[in-house]
Amino acid sequence: MAIIFGTMHIVKKAGLEDPQYMVLIRSIYGIATALMVGFTYHLKNMVTRKNDTTALEYDDATPGNQGERIVTTNVKHDLAEIAKLQKSTLLTVGIVVFMHFKFGYIQPLILQTLLPLLNMYKNPLFQIHILGKPAADDLKRPWLPANPFAALGGGNANANANASSEITEDAQAGASSGNDSASDSESSNSKKKETKKETEKEEKETRKDK
């Protein structure tokens, strides 16, 4: 929010709404947008070349699909995230261009020259594949859209998703352990019954011999 209000203040203070700056601002916005779109394709090529086929399994937390178990790989997950990024970028471009040419707004052009670059730097795709950071903690897959109310729940969306995944895995392990224990208990009882029958049979045979 500080960046948005700061940018609006600078636009008014520097008089960038003057028509003489229109061509310059449009050109800068066009270049920044082209770089952004081109960079997403560069990321796509990097992910494809790495081809990280590590298995990834988690519970889908998107609205309407909550609870559905997702089984995929890291490369498929990352490529899907890049596709979402490309789609959202093109959608934003369409909205900004419409607002500019329909209503003559300058601020959206300037904001969307700066914000996408800042958001890209914070994006897990950039952090992992460009900066080489490990996919752990907040960068651990799966990545979920930022939730402004996540802090009220005690953490961010990615942390909550990872915790949910770990809880699910622990629950499955516990259930498996419980089933194994029950099976061992039944097997033990069966052996005791067989031993008891054999003992009674031997006692009967001993009595007959006497």
Side-chain angles (χ1 to χ4, degrees):
M1 291 297 288
I3 294 176
I4 295 175
F5 287 115
T7 302
M8 293 175 66
H9 177 72
I10 292 174
V11 168
K12 293 181 179 179
K13 190 78 173 178
L16 295 179
E17 294 178 325
D18 193 303
Q20 65 177 329
Y21 297 113
M22 189 77 70
V23 175
L24 177 62
I25 293 174
R26 288 176 179 173
S27 299
I28 294 174
Y29 172 72
I31 294 171
T33 300
L35 288 174
M36 182 68 183
V37 174
F39 190 70
T40 61
Y41 282 99
H42 175 63
L43 270 176
K44 184 176 181 179
N45 290 334
M46 289 186 67
V47 171
T48 303
R49 284 199 304 270
K50 287 183 180 180
N51 194 29
D52 183 359
T53 57
T54 303
L56 179 64
E57 188 173 348
Y58 60 94
D59 290 330
D60 192 354
T62 56
N65 296 319
Q66 292 181 344
E68 181 180 347
R69 196 67 178 170
I70 302 296
V71 180
T72 184
T73 60
N74 286 347
V75 61
K76 289 182 179 179
H77 172 272
D78 291 6
L79 288 175
E81 290 299 314
I82 292 173
K84 291 179 185 177
L85 180 60
Q86 290 174 331
K87 183 177 180 181
S88 65
T89 299
L90 295 176
L91 178 62
T92 302
V93 169
I95 294 173
V96 170
V97 170
F98 172 78
M99 291 177 65
H100 173 65
F101 286 100
K102 182 70 175 179
F103 305 107
Y105 294 152
I106 296 294
Q107 291 91 338
L109 290 180
I110 300 175
L111 284 174
Q112 289 306 312
T113 299
L114 302 175
L115 290 180
L117 300 177
L118 177 61
N119 291 335
M120 173 57 77
Y121 177 79
K122 296 180 179 179
N123 193 297
L125 290 165
F126 184 90
Q127 295 285 316
I128 293 173
H129 297 290
I130 302 299
L131 301 184
K133 293 185 178 181
D137 299 327
D138 289 347
L139 298 179
K140 185 178 179 181
R141 298 174 179 89
W143 308 316
L144 297 178
N147 181 359
F149 301 104
L152 298 177
N156 60 42
N158 286 340
N160 290 338
N162 295 332
S164 174
S165 178
E166 291 171 0
I167 290 172
T168 301
E169 291 173 359
D170 291 342
Q172 289 177 341
S176 176
S177 176
N179 291 337
D180 292 342
S181 297
S183 177
D184 292 342
S185 178
E186 290 177 0
S187 177
S188 178
N189 290 336
S190 177
K191 289 180 180 179
K192 287 181 180 179
K193 289 180 181 179
E194 291 178 359
T195 303
K196 186 176 180 181
K197 287 181 180 180
E198 290 177 358
T199 303
E200 291 176 351
K201 185 177 180 181
E202 290 177 358
E203 289 177 353
K204 288 180 180 180
E205 290 178 352
T206 301
R207 290 172 185 173
K208 288 181 180 180
D209 293 339
K210 290 179 178 181

